[in-house]
Amino acid sequence: MSDTQNVLELRNVDKSFGPIDVLHKISLSVKAGEVLCLLGDNGAGKSTLIKTMAGVHAPTRGEILMDGKPVSFSGPKVAQEAGIACVHQFGGTFPLMSIGRSFFAGVEPTKGWGPFKVFDREKANEIAVREVRNFGITRIEDGDRLVGGLSGGERQSLAIARAVYFGARVLILDEPTAALGVKQSAHVLRIVNEAKRRGLAVIFITHQVMHAMAVGDHFAVLIRGSIAADFRKGDRTREEIADLMAGGESMIDLEASIEG
């Protein structure tokens, strides 16, 4: 995996809003078939970093690369077209829509001709149910079922399946297990592993160390807008990661204090 080119890379990215510096020299990378876990407590700068990667904010300084080439996203739609999909905490789905309508929101398949075109409900339902079931959600059989009747884990799965179907190469998951119980969280973690198995580059944002360690290959800890640690699976224990998140020290500071 180490010989594979990075799908998405950030090099020395800063983000400022007027005189307020939010992100400081962020350098991160993620490869195809890899899960990068971005850990940080509330206020660490995770939301701003997500929005910068997803094209909502342009970096103040630094650069973003895809497949080794610098890119500039003028907005979220451009980032999506480049293959970056962001799934937010509650799945970005529509509770009062059917599964089929929610899956194709904004890109609805149609049938008919000219001014007589109508939404092709049968096709939408068939594809949506198939794609969700391909991710292991076998309980979903009816595309007319309302999204609001799904569990939190199922809604996350629907959003992830949708992103993959529409060509996502980088999947940014924003706290996907934060509001879920143990069983639903375990289900979402299985979906993350399935996305990894399919060759997607996954960025998993969380403040829950156990969930990160269950799926992560590569870890970065964000504190006050800076990367405090960047390490691979097995390099740090759960306790060391939790202490780092709570203490706000960089690994360099920790190692220097030990050596001193």
Side-chain angles (χ1 to χ4, degrees):
M1 185 178 293
S2 59
D3 295 330
T4 306
Q5 186 179 57
N6 297 320
V7 178
L8 179 68
E9 183 178 0
L10 278 66
R11 292 182 182 171
N12 295 316
V13 167
D14 295 345
K15 182 58 189 176
S16 303
F17 297 96
I20 301 173
D21 297 329
V22 181
L23 300 177
H24 315 278
K25 295 190 179 303
I26 301 293
S27 293
L28 289 171
S29 62
V30 62
K31 304 177 188 298
E34 179 181 64
V35 178
L36 166 64
C37 290
L38 183 62
L39 294 148
D41 213 339
N42 293 333
K46 299 193 302 295
S47 294
T48 301
L49 181 53
I50 292 167
K51 290 177 180 177
T52 302
M53 290 187 289
V56 177
H57 300 317
T60 304
R61 288 169 293 277
E63 60 181 354
I64 299 175
L65 300 90
M66 287 197 72
D67 301 318
K69 299 177 182 178
V71 293
S72 179
F73 302 136
S74 58
K77 190 173 187 299
V78 178
Q80 289 173 9
E81 289 170 350
I84 297 177
C86 189
V87 176
H88 295 284
Q89 186 171 335
F90 298 103
T93 51
F94 306 94
L96 298 181
M97 279 189 180
S98 68
I99 290 171
R101 283 304 290 255
S102 181
F103 191 92
F104 283 98
V107 285
E108 291 83 357
T110 58
K111 60 183 179 180
W113 179 82
F116 303 105
K117 285 184 178 179
V118 295
F119 174 62
D120 191 339
R121 182 173 62 87
E122 183 178 351
K123 180 179 179 180
N125 287 351
E126 177 187 348
I127 293 173
V129 170
R130 182 191 70 212
E131 294 302 314
V132 174
R133 289 176 67 87
N134 282 345
F135 268 92
I137 316 301
T138 56
R139 198 168 74 91
I140 294 178
E141 299 178 344
D142 182 5
D144 283 326
R145 184 178 173 186
L146 291 182
V147 170
L150 303 179
S151 70
E154 288 169 338
R155 289 178 64 173
Q156 288 284 351
S157 302
L158 174 62
I160 293 170
R162 181 185 192 276
V164 173
Y165 178 79
F166 284 105
R169 298 180 61 220
V170 179
L171 191 60
I172 302 174
L173 303 178
D174 180 14
E175 298 278 5
T177 60
L180 304 182
V182 174
K183 184 177 180 180
Q184 292 183 13
S185 294
H187 178 79
V188 171
L189 296 178
R190 287 196 298 271
I191 297 298
V192 172
N193 277 327
E194 175 62 19
K196 169 185 169 180
R197 188 189 68 79
R198 294 187 182 201
L200 273 73
V202 181
I203 301 175
F204 183 86
I205 293 93
T206 184
H207 63 274
Q208 302 189 46
V209 178
M210 285 294 291
H211 293 172
M213 295 187 76
V215 297
D217 302 296
H218 178 189
F219 302 81
V221 178
L222 188 67
I223 297 176
R224 295 189 293 274
S226 297
I227 299 297
D230 189 334
F231 51 93
R232 306 295 302 185
K233 184 175 184 177
D235 288 347
R236 298 287 181 264
T237 66
R238 181 183 67 178
E239 291 75 17
E240 287 173 332
I241 299 171
D243 287 346
L244 175 61
M245 290 173 62
E249 296 180 272
S250 70
M251 293 307 299
I252 295 175
D253 293 335
L254 288 174
E255 290 166 358
S257 66
I258 293 170
E259 293 173 357

